[in-house]
Amino acid sequence: MKKRLSVFMLLMLALALVVSACGSKNNEGASPSSTQSNASESPKGQVEVTLAGWGSSPEEQDLLKQVLAEFEGKNPDVKVKYEIIADQYMDVIKTRLIGNEAPDLFYLDAFEAPALIEKGVLEPLDGYVTPEFDIGDFEAPTVNAFKSPDGKMYGLPKDTSTLALFYNKKMFADAGITAPPTTWDEMMSISEKLTKKKGSKVEVYGLGQAPELARQLFMLKAYGGQLVDDKGLATFASPEAEKGLSLVIDQHLKAKTAGQPSDVGAGWGGEMFGQQKAAMVLEGNWAIPYIQGNFKDVDFGTAEVPTVNGEKGTMAFTVAYVMNKDSKKKEAAWKLLSYLTGKEGMKTWTSKGFALPTRKSVAAELGYDKDELRGALVAGSSYATPWQAGPTLPTLMNNFNNQFVAAYTGQSPLPDALKKGQETANKEIKAAQ
Amino acid sequence: MAKPFGKHKLRDILSGYGFMSPAIIILGCFLLLPIGYSIFLSLHRVNLLGTVSYKFIGVGNFERMLDDARLWIALKNTFRYALIVVPSQTMLALVLASILNMKLRYRNFFRVAFYLPTVTSSAVLVLIFMWIYNRNGLLNFILESVGLPTYNWLGDPSVALLGIMIMNIWSTAPLFMVIYLAALQDIPENLYEAAEIDGANAWRKFWRITVPQLKPVTFYVIVMGIIGTFQLFDQSYIFSAGSGGPNNATLTMVLLIYQYAFKSLDMGYASAIAFFLAVVIMLITVVQRLLFKEEKLN
């Protein structure tokens, strides 16, 4: 009996050895062979840098490829391999970072930046920046969004966009409205004139809304509400926050002059506006080429977001290029990064207006501040709330959105929903610490 | 007992394990090791991104579950889902199979037609159903054309899970239908003939002969159904774009595990929930075995 057991144990041991040998062989085998194949493919001395980003419109991708081709023309020793991660971008990037298979450079939204910086997987860029690179040329808030609490810089913002009020000129003319609203009260009354109902069913909403934290954070702050305290805990269930957010909810539930895209079967605000099911939406720069390309008959204008409580406010969304700390080709990666965010690269990248430049000199050169459609967006950047609030933001956002939608659809009163969201968020944050 | 093994015997043993070794290696690599590793993870606070660290916290992850409101919502959703989907799909499958077992004309055509939903990829099914449920989709179009009020099926938390239930019943019932169909053809004809001579009507024959004869198959169908419903992930994932919304209405256990594991990278806690889910499924299966135990006496 004992002997049989020992034979079995021996076999298991042998098995374990085989398995572990297999595993380690794979691990070791994979990386040298792949670098070898790279070396044999490309001419001598050329380094291949991988750059990963999320999928965007085909026009935008062509533009990026153009920038990359220009870079390769000027730097024959660096070859760029551009990868598109079409879906669940952050999940894929995080998993690949764990598996040491992450790209050398990748896009990073400001919203996700603090969590990644905290984990120490990004390369600090301070040591690479030269005086010629002219870091002072960047709009300060866009760079600060990628700094760690101790002031190290982990990413260079490739572009940014704020939200502005998009309005349908024809609908405005039909309703006899001459100018876009400048205050929230005006916007409410204008929405009423623009809303078209057929029986009880709303066919055209005055305002298209997005009931989510990323779009409503500035409303939360309009009366002095705060999203988060300095310990990373949620503080959004305050009367001040409620005051701003109730403007959003009441317009949907009480006045019935605003709705979300899914109310009319659209996927997002830009589509809702393009299909002429909303006369106004708050959208960013990305919506301009989208509407122009897909809905050519829509004549629209933009204006700054109407003031709430007499204060100007809007959201700002910034994306940076960051470098993988485990990258083996940091010098080449920096070459590419500094070209993409340098004056020349950024000028090409933002030349078609898909995104707004984060360098003041480029913005001035391209003249977007005087552009008819983009002027309002540029103007917003001076007072915008950046979409970033520390490493706990993903948890805060998840719980806020979940409860805010419940309030938005009238399932629970706003104060209860906010309280519940805050309690759940704080429980989760404390449990994860 | 004390008799030593002969050379012969040892060779037998070795050759036996030799033949089994492919299965042992594969099961060990892809089944036992992951299970062991996930139990190991569930007792630790794990950080995989950046500096890898494992900190032993004992049952800390399990204690944390008690206080996790979203976990209980997910469990409640999953239970509600199983409670409605499993009986409905089992009954639907039995009824469909019984109908197809009759001597109908074109019954081969119907067998193929009914089976089609099972063959379709579930991702495609969800997208088709999302189009049907859309505010301007097919369902609302039909409702509107007969003068009924329309509804925001996708946006309302109270009906979102129901939408997934209907879709799932429709797509998995045919699979079980085929299993029932095979079992039905195994029931000896003479039982029915004897019942007919005794004057039993069709309903009595179905209820007194068909259903009891199918009991072992029903057990299998229900167990597989429950395991399938507890593993619900792809449908609610696509439905809610990974969030489990609106208002946690489509949050399921597996979706929650996914969120903790890959969104928050909290592998330890995610493993603990996965372990908990496995225990729940095992318990339910044991309870079912007890309920169906009388079967063994026959």
Side-chain angles (χ1 to χ4, degrees):
Chain A
M1 215 49 183
K2 247 182 197 165
K3 214 167 195 175
R4 194 188 292 176
L5 199 71
S6 64
V7 167
F8 181 71
M9 292 303 276
L10 243 158
L11 266 163
M12 285 309 280
L13 195 74
L15 178 83
L17 274 172
V18 168
V19 170
S20 60
C22 258
S24 61
K25 207 184 213 169
N26 276 342
N27 280 342
E28 278 163 20
S31 43
S33 71
S34 61
T35 45
Q36 255 163 31
S37 67
N38 283 344
S40 61
E41 269 169 28
S42 48
K44 214 166 57 180
Q46 202 180 34
V47 188
E48 191 183 67
V49 176
T50 11
L51 167 69
W54 48 75
S56 41
S57 66
E59 299 90 357
E60 206 171 343
Q61 256 152 41
D62 288 344
L63 198 58
L64 182 62
K65 276 179 193 146
Q66 188 193 328
V67 183
L68 294 177
E70 281 170 16
F71 168 76
E72 282 180 322
K74 283 177 187 144
N75 297 275
D77 54 331
V78 182
K79 193 169 172 280
V80 184
K81 191 177 154 210
Y82 175 50
E83 286 180 84
I84 298 163
I85 298 169
D87 203 22
Q88 301 303 327
Y89 178 80
M90 274 322 285
D91 295 2
V92 175
I93 284 287
K94 281 183 201 163
T95 319
R96 283 176 61 179
L97 280 168
I98 291 172
N100 282 329
E101 293 288 333
D104 301 308
L105 293 178
F106 53 93
Y107 291 12
L108 183 64
D109 198 305
F111 148 73
E112 298 268 8
L116 276 196
I117 291 171
E118 199 183 39
K119 297 277 185 192
V121 290
L122 303 180
E123 174 80 4
L125 299 174
D126 305 82
Y128 295 90
V129 176
T130 57
E132 301 91 76
F133 185 69
D134 193 6
I135 193 87
D137 190 23
F138 283 91
E139 301 271 2
T142 62
V143 180
N144 291 342
F146 299 94
K147 278 188 178 161
S148 63
D150 59 358
K152 276 190 196 153
M153 188 171 62
Y154 287 88
L156 288 172
K158 72 183 187 87
D159 51 41
T160 184
S161 183
T162 55
L163 294 181
L165 183 78
F166 285 61
Y167 62 97
N168 189 315
K169 285 185 178 167
K170 188 172 176 293
M171 287 185 186
F172 267 56
D174 289 351
I177 304 161
T178 49
T182 54
T183 68
W184 207 261
D185 290 337
E186 266 178 57
M187 210 226 20
M188 298 279 265
S189 60
I190 286 179
S191 298
E192 196 145 357
K193 286 182 202 156
L194 292 164
T195 302
K196 289 190 194 106
K197 286 180 188 164
K198 188 178 156 194
S200 64
K201 198 182 162 198
V202 180
E203 295 218 302
V204 178
Y205 282 102
L207 178 71
Q209 292 172 318
E212 58 188 35
L213 186 59
R215 299 299 182 89
Q216 304 299 347
L217 183 55
F218 77 99
M219 293 297 281
L220 192 154
K221 290 191 166 173
Y223 289 89
Q226 284 303 323
L227 175 69
V228 62
D229 66 10
D230 51 2
K231 288 189 194 92
L233 294 175
T235 53
F236 54 72
S238 65
E240 293 84 22
E242 197 192 307
K243 214 169 166 190
L245 292 170
S246 63
L247 291 175
V248 180
I249 303 262
D250 289 351
Q251 198 185 351
H252 174 65
L253 288 178
K254 288 191 188 146
K256 294 193 169 58
T257 58
Q260 55 176 331
S262 73
D263 287 334
V264 292
W268 62 290
E271 191 184 346
M272 188 181 184
F273 184 77
Q275 291 174 346
Q276 313 216 32
K277 283 170 179 160
M280 297 182 281
V281 285
L282 298 178
E283 281 295 338
N285 196 66
W286 52 83
I288 297 175
Y290 171 81
I291 299 167
Q292 285 172 339
N294 295 300
F295 303 97
K296 292 194 172 65
D297 50 334
V298 176
D299 184 18
F300 68 99
T302 60
E304 288 181 57
V305 176
T307 57
V308 188
N309 192 24
E311 297 271 336
K312 287 183 170 191
T314 182
M315 295 298 299
F317 302 92
T318 308
V319 175
Y321 290 112
V322 295
M323 200 192 292
N324 179 4
K325 195 171 195 175
D326 288 334
S327 166
K328 304 218 163 45
K329 305 150 190 165
K330 285 181 185 158
E331 282 307 317
W334 169 252
K335 258 188 197 169
L336 176 60
L337 204 164
S338 59
Y339 182 81
L340 288 168
T341 53
K343 287 173 190 168
E344 207 177 338
M346 188 179 285
K347 196 179 149 196
T348 316
W349 167 240
T350 51
S351 60
K352 296 252 171 76
F354 295 109
L356 296 175
T358 46
R359 277 178 178 275
K360 290 173 212 154
S361 64
V362 177
E365 204 179 333
L366 293 170
Y368 285 147
D369 52 334
K370 292 171 196 80
D371 188 290
E372 197 189 333
L373 285 174
R374 293 178 179 89
L377 291 153
V378 175
S381 62
S382 62
Y383 52 81
T385 307
W387 175 227
Q388 203 238 49
T392 54
L393 183 54
T395 311
L396 296 175
M397 180 187 76
N398 209 354
N399 286 294
F400 180 91
N401 285 353
N402 229 318
Q403 290 303 321
F404 193 62
V405 167
Y408 192 79
T409 49
Q411 299 227 322
S412 52
L414 181 63
D416 296 2
L418 290 177
K419 215 173 132 219
K420 205 170 148 199
Q422 172 168 323
E423 277 166 11
T424 325
N426 285 344
K427 227 183 238 173
E428 277 179 32
I429 290 166
K430 279 177 192 154
Q433 268 164 3
Chain B
M1 260 306 227
K3 209 166 109 189
F5 292 118
K7 244 187 190 160
H8 194 61
K9 198 96 183 234
L10 188 72
R11 225 169 59 196
D12 268 4
I13 290 169
L14 277 180
S15 63
Y17 282 111
F19 281 119
M20 284 197 301
S21 61
I24 293 177
I25 291 173
I26 291 169
L27 287 181
C29 269
F30 298 106
L31 206 71
L32 295 177
L33 274 182
I35 291 175
Y37 187 52
S38 85
I39 293 175
F40 168 80
L41 284 181
S42 68
L43 300 173
H44 289 74
R45 179 177 292 283
V46 185
N47 182 26
L48 293 176
L49 191 60
T51 40
V52 180
S53 70
Y54 300 96
K55 194 178 144 216
F56 183 77
I57 51 164
V59 292
N61 281 326
F62 294 93
E63 275 168 12
R64 183 178 157 191
M65 285 197 290
L66 295 175
D67 221 23
D68 188 347
R70 271 161 56 83
L71 174 81
W72 299 110
I73 293 172
L75 193 65
K76 206 181 83 195
N77 283 343
T78 313
F79 261 110
R80 226 179 82 201
Y81 182 80
L83 221 58
I84 295 179
V85 169
V86 174
S88 320
Q89 75 187 13
T90 310
M91 264 181 294
L92 185 64
L94 182 57
V95 169
L96 284 177
S98 309
I99 293 172
L100 289 184
N101 200 35
M102 291 175 193
K103 288 172 184 61
L104 292 170
R105 208 191 270 215
Y106 307 123
R107 72 174 175 182
N108 280 338
F109 166 76
F110 284 115
R111 283 180 185 177
V112 173
F114 285 168
Y115 193 65
L116 277 179
T118 308
V119 187
T120 319
S121 133
S122 77
V124 176
L125 273 184
V126 181
L127 292 177
I128 293 172
F129 268 78
M130 279 179 79
W131 176 72
I132 294 175
Y133 292 140
N134 189 306
R135 186 81 202 201
N136 292 343
L138 188 67
L139 187 61
N140 275 351
F141 176 77
I142 293 170
L143 286 176
E144 204 169 26
S145 56
V146 291
L148 288 166
T150 61
Y151 200 69
N152 188 0
W153 303 97
L154 292 171
D156 186 344
S158 52
V159 295
L161 192 64
L162 191 73
I164 300 180
M165 286 178 188
I166 293 171
M167 176 168 65
N168 208 49
I169 293 170
W170 182 76
S171 72
T172 49
L175 176 72
F176 296 125
M177 172 194 83
V178 172
I179 296 168
Y180 269 129
L181 200 55
L184 276 174
Q185 284 166 357
D186 258 4
I187 301 177
E189 197 61 33
N190 55 16
L191 284 178
Y192 291 106
E193 281 166 12
E196 223 159 284
I197 292 166
D198 288 343
N201 59 15
W203 174 248
R204 269 182 96 85
K205 276 194 288 184
F206 177 76
W207 203 241
R208 291 295 172 89
I209 299 173
T210 314
V211 173
Q213 286 286 328
L214 288 177
K215 221 169 173 182
V217 179
T218 306
F219 174 67
Y220 172 79
V221 166
I222 290 179
V223 169
M224 293 322 276
I226 287 183
I227 293 176
T229 48
F230 268 79
Q231 287 174 341
L232 175 70
F233 171 71
D234 46 355
Q235 295 166 348
S236 53
Y237 179 84
I238 302 172
F239 223 82
S240 64
S243 72
N247 192 18
N248 288 330
T250 57
L251 187 70
T252 64
M253 289 295 280
V254 188
L255 186 56
L256 189 71
I257 294 171
Y258 169 83
Q259 287 184 351
Y260 276 119
F262 298 105
K263 293 251 181 253
S264 345
L265 285 179
D266 202 343
M267 291 289 174
Y269 188 50
S271 302
I273 302 177
F275 189 73
F276 172 68
L277 177 63
V279 170
V280 168
I281 294 180
M282 268 187 250
L283 278 180
I284 294 170
T285 314
V286 167
V287 168
Q288 271 173 300
R289 276 194 80 104
L290 291 176
L291 287 177
F292 277 80
K293 207 171 182 180
E294 46 199 311
E295 175 59 32
K296 277 182 187 161
L297 299 174
N298 288 349

